[in-house]
Structure formats: C-alpha cells, structure tokens
Amino acid sequence: MRSALEVMNVYPSSNSFVFLGRTMGILRSFLYLNILVIFATVMVHLLTYPVPFSLFIYLFYFITLVFPTCVFTLGLSLLVAYFVRHLFLSITISVTMMILVYLYLPEVLYGSLDPWARTLPNSFSNFGGHVNLFPYFLQRCIYLLWGVGLLCLAVLGMQRIPNYPRKRWHYTCSGTFVLLLGILLLHSYLNLFYRNEKTRDEYRAGFLHVQDCPLASVLTHDIIYQSHDVGFSATSELALQNSTKEPINQLILFLNPGLTITSIECEQKQLSFQREHQVVIIDYCLQPNEKVSLLMHYEGDIDENICYLDIPAKAFYNTKNNNRGIQYHGRQFSFCSKDYTLLYPECFWYPVAVPPVNLRSPLEYQMDFTVYNLSVKNIEGKIILSQGQKDEGNIFTSFRSSQALPGISLCIGDYLRKSILVDSMPIEFY
C-alpha cells in the first residue's frame, strides 16, 4: 500500500539535487541555532567579563568544532533514516548510538572516537596559542570527511527511482572513498601517539642502559643562552668532579635529544663523544676526586617526549589530569621562541650529569646540586626570569645563584613587573 506522501516524489529534479536541498535546509537550521548561541555568548563576554575579546576564537570554534560535528551527526542520522525507513525506529537507533558514543568512547584511542572532541585539549593561551593544534585539526577533519561520506551513501537510501541510475555507482564510490580517506586520517592521528610513545620507550631504554654506570657531579655550571625565532643556542661551561671511589672511564651527560651538540672542548681541545638520543658519552677518563672543566656548544629546539618518562602512557595521555570542568587545557612542557620561552629542568634544556628520574625506582631519584650562573641575551620588550641574583645589562641579563641548586628554569615573556619593599626585603610580582 502506497503512502499519501508518494506524490511528493514526483519532480523533475534528480535524487541527489533534492537530497542536497534537504540536507542544506537541515544543516542551515543547526548552524543558525549555533550562530545565535555564539552571538549570545559574545554579548555575555563583552558585558560581564573584563578579559580580551577575539572574534577569531569564536570563528575558530565554529568552523573546527561545530561544523564537523553537525555534518557527521546529520550524515549518520540521514543514513539510518533512509535505510531503516521507520521514523520512530530510526530516531531511536540514532539517539541510542549518540548516547553510547557520548558516554563510553570519549577517552578511547586518545579521543579519536569522540565526534564532539570533548576530551581533546582545545584551549587558547595568550602566550603559546593553541596547545594541540595539529592533532586537533586532524581529528576534526576525520569527522568532517566521515560526515560527507555518510551523506553520499545516504542518497542511495532514497525510495524514489533515480533519474540517472548510473549515478548510484558514482555516489557509492564517492562515499566509500571519502570514508576510507577519513579512516586514513584516523590512522595518521593514532600514529602520532604511537610514534611518540615509541620514542619515549627509546628514551627510557637510554636511561636504563647507563643507570648502573658511575656518574660525575657538576660543581658549577655557567650557561650563555640566546633565543631564536624557533629554538635557541647556548654554551655551557661545566666544572665536573668524580665524587665516587672508582675511576670514570667515560663521562656521561644528558641533554635534550632535540638539541644538537656542535662541539665539546676541554682546555681548548676537541673531545670525541658518542650520542644516543639524550645520552652523551664523552671519551674522557676521570680519576676519583679529579676535576675537569668542559665547554659545550649546542643548539636546536626542545623535544618534549623526554619529559616525565616515569609516568605511564595511560596517565600521560589522560587529558582529565589537566582540565577545569568541560575545558581541557592539555599540557605542553616547554615553550621555546622569541615570543615566549618557558623551560624547566625536566626538559633537559642544558646538559646535566644526573637525570631527574629513576625509572627503576621513581621515588629514589638522585639530585645533583650545582651552582648555576645564567646569562641570557636580552630581547627588546621582554622580561627575563630565572633563579638567582638578577643583574640586567645592555646586552645580557645574568642570574647568579648564591647556593647550589638541583636545577634552574628560564622564562622570557611580556610581563609587567611590580615590586614592593617589605621589611627591607624586595618582593616582585609579574
């Protein structure tokens, strides 16, 4: 028995043209509703929050967050509706699928199965920008492609006889191709995390390989630092001592694997060395209580995979460890450019003799207390911060520590300095 709506299928236009019109009408309603919500949010922002306003951020979230989700949700719903051909049953199936995905899949496979990207780091910073831009774009492109592919396949579910039967084959091939392209991007997205974890395993193996070797101590460490557009270059002068009771046949130092060592000198003589990722093995024998001074030149950018190797992969990539409500801030362990610099000892931005982690027994790590003298080349308009007594010059800003420290940090940025004197003690706020 035919439905009374069968007369609506009599039209000269093709199925694809009619389907496109219906899809655009539904999608336009979703987008208009989102634009209305964005407008209301902008008004609340301007009227109640004394924070900088940026229209770009609202457009960014609309294009990358809202639009791909709408296309994917619409494609999945229409595909189910056209093939199930029962209104109540198709709505039930679609809603059930969305609820299951919403509740159980956001954290599976690093957030790749979450069409709403709820657990992906998706916040902007005034200093560093978006914390996880490339993986975020990759994940959003996956759902945009899957949505387009599902829409192409949904055309095949229309009950009306097509004007051009051969076009069914075209839409089948097009939809399948776009879905496979989305799966290829999914593989690339997951490969980012698998490759990073493989690299971290190699760094762990490097630490374990030399963990039982005797290590020297760094008595003093003078660093000259200069920022570049991307990365930095530095020179370290280290005073090493063999504090053990046995000879050290090869000196072992640790440096971030993203930094390239250009030379190592001792008394103006070049020393040969071997390097395996972060482990630097120098061909120099040091007798018990003997001291030596080394000069090392290095440059490059920071590889963050070396940071916090004692944290298991499941906890390391869990974005819930750094969120506030529905906002997931992600994590970035270093910033290294002329616009903003933030370097911690954990990222090995200068050579050290003792690693800050003990992979065999994380609670029994060793500290190497060193007297640091840091000189940073000035950048116009930037404030430079670090540990120690600060001395601002025309070319360099120096920091000299009065006591031995387990490590130092460096921060360079657009800060406003305020100071106050309390009981002859100067206190500064930035």
Side-chain angles (χ1 to χ4, degrees):
M1 183 176 181
R2 296 184 179 275
S3 170
L5 295 177
E6 290 285 337
V7 295
M8 303 300 296
N9 290 330
V10 181
Y11 44 77
S13 302
S14 64
N15 286 355
S16 58
F17 186 79
V18 173
F19 181 83
L20 178 62
R22 294 175 179 175
T23 303
M24 294 302 296
I26 299 173
L27 186 61
R28 185 173 60 181
S29 300
F30 277 110
L31 295 180
Y32 282 170
L33 179 61
N34 279 279
I35 291 175
L36 182 62
V37 173
I38 291 174
F39 178 77
T41 306
V42 169
M43 296 304 297
V44 172
H45 184 173
L46 294 176
L47 296 176
T48 61
Y49 287 93
V51 294
F53 171 78
S54 175
L55 182 62
F56 164 77
I57 295 180
Y58 286 92
L59 294 177
F60 174 84
Y61 287 129
F62 177 76
I63 295 172
T64 64
L65 187 62
V66 174
F67 185 70
T69 302
C70 287
V71 173
F72 174 78
T73 305
L74 181 61
L76 182 62
S77 302
L78 290 180
L79 182 69
V80 172
Y82 277 118
F83 281 93
V84 174
R85 298 179 181 178
H86 189 283
L87 181 60
F88 177 77
L89 186 59
S90 62
I91 293 176
T92 302
I93 294 175
S94 299
V95 172
T96 302
M97 291 173 60
M98 292 298 176
I99 292 176
L100 293 176
V101 170
Y102 189 88
L103 293 178
Y104 298 106
L105 296 184
E107 299 177 18
V108 177
L109 295 178
Y110 310 105
S112 60
L113 301 182
D114 180 15
W116 296 276
R118 292 186 299 123
T119 59
L120 292 185
N122 192 17
S123 300
F124 277 92
S125 167
N126 292 335
F127 294 104
H130 197 284
V131 70
N132 206 33
L133 190 58
F134 180 70
Y136 172 76
F137 267 135
L138 204 58
Q139 199 261 12
R140 302 317 294 154
C141 288
I142 292 171
Y143 284 94
L144 180 60
L145 290 175
W146 282 353
V148 173
L150 292 175
L151 288 173
C152 291
L153 296 179
V155 179
L156 307 176
M158 297 187 66
Q159 300 182 32
R160 179 181 179 273
I161 298 176
N163 294 4
Y164 307 97
R166 292 183 178 180
K167 280 194 173 182
R168 293 179 62 87
W169 173 251
H170 295 165
Y171 282 103
T172 301
C173 294
S174 299
T176 304
F177 174 76
V178 176
L179 288 176
L180 290 177
L181 186 59
I183 294 175
L184 181 62
L185 290 185
L186 174 62
H187 176 269
S188 301
Y189 176 82
L190 296 177
N191 191 51
L192 292 176
F193 296 91
Y194 295 149
R195 189 171 57 215
N196 286 343
E197 191 55 30
K198 181 181 178 181
T199 302
R200 289 171 61 82
D201 286 339
E202 293 176 355
Y203 295 163
R204 292 187 183 100
F207 278 132
L208 293 174
H209 181 68
V210 298
Q211 187 162 353
D212 295 329
C213 298
L215 301 176
S217 300
V218 182
L219 302 179
T220 62
H221 193 164
D222 297 341
I223 305 173
I224 301 177
Y225 179 98
Q226 181 177 353
S227 295
H228 299 299
D229 292 335
V230 177
F232 66 93
S233 60
T235 299
S236 287
E237 184 175 356
L238 306 94
L240 299 171
Q241 182 181 21
N242 182 1
S243 302
T244 66
K245 297 181 180 180
E246 57 183 7
I248 298 178
N249 296 323
Q250 291 179 316
L251 292 176
I252 297 177
L253 297 177
F254 303 94
L255 183 66
N256 190 284
L259 301 175
T260 302
I261 299 176
T262 56
S263 67
I264 300 178
E265 303 175 12
C266 177
E267 297 179 353
Q268 299 182 349
K269 294 181 180 179
Q270 295 285 341
L271 296 180
S272 61
F273 63 92
Q274 302 173 4
R275 188 172 188 187
E276 182 178 354
H277 302 304
Q278 77 277 16
V279 181
V280 183
I281 302 176
I282 305 171
D283 294 329
Y284 191 92
C285 182
L286 201 61
Q287 299 298 323
N289 296 322
E290 184 182 357
K291 299 179 182 179
V292 66
S293 180
L294 299 183
L295 187 65
M296 179 184 295
H297 302 273
Y298 49 96
E299 60 186 10
D301 201 0
I302 296 297
D303 182 359
E304 296 185 7
N305 288 317
I306 194 66
C307 302
Y308 304 104
L309 296 177
D310 55 329
I311 300 179
K314 185 176 180 180
F316 185 80
Y317 295 108
N318 186 4
T319 56
K320 281 189 174 182
N321 293 332
N322 189 19
N323 72 308
R324 178 185 297 176
I326 63 174
Q327 297 180 359
Y328 288 78
H329 303 294
R331 54 167 66 91
Q332 186 168 346
F333 301 119
S334 68
F335 297 88
C336 193
S337 67
K338 278 192 174 181
D339 295 328
Y340 183 67
T341 297
L342 181 61
L343 300 172
Y344 293 112
E346 288 77 8
C347 66
F348 297 87
W349 63 278
Y350 54 84
V352 296
V354 177
V357 293
N358 186 340
L359 297 179
R360 292 179 182 172
S361 181
L363 298 179
E364 297 180 2
Y365 61 91
Q366 182 181 355
M367 288 187 179
D368 189 19
F369 288 88
T370 305
V371 177
Y372 289 94
N373 295 316
L374 173 63
S375 297
V376 182
K377 190 173 183 179
N378 294 329
I379 302 176
E380 185 177 358
K382 305 293 183 181
I383 295 293
I384 303 173
L385 302 173
S386 186
Q387 291 93 332
Q389 182 65 37
K390 187 175 183 179
D391 182 16
E392 297 184 68
N394 295 328
I395 301 177
F396 287 92
T397 297
S398 301
F399 299 87
R400 303 189 181 279
S401 56
S402 58
Q403 59 184 3
L405 302 173
I408 59 172
S409 304
L410 176 62
C411 182
I412 306 174
D414 296 320
Y415 289 100
L416 178 64
R417 177 169 56 190
K418 295 183 178 180
S419 60
I420 187 174
L421 193 64
V422 178
D423 293 335
S424 71
M425 177 184 295
I427 299 177
E428 294 182 345
F429 299 92
Y430 293 90

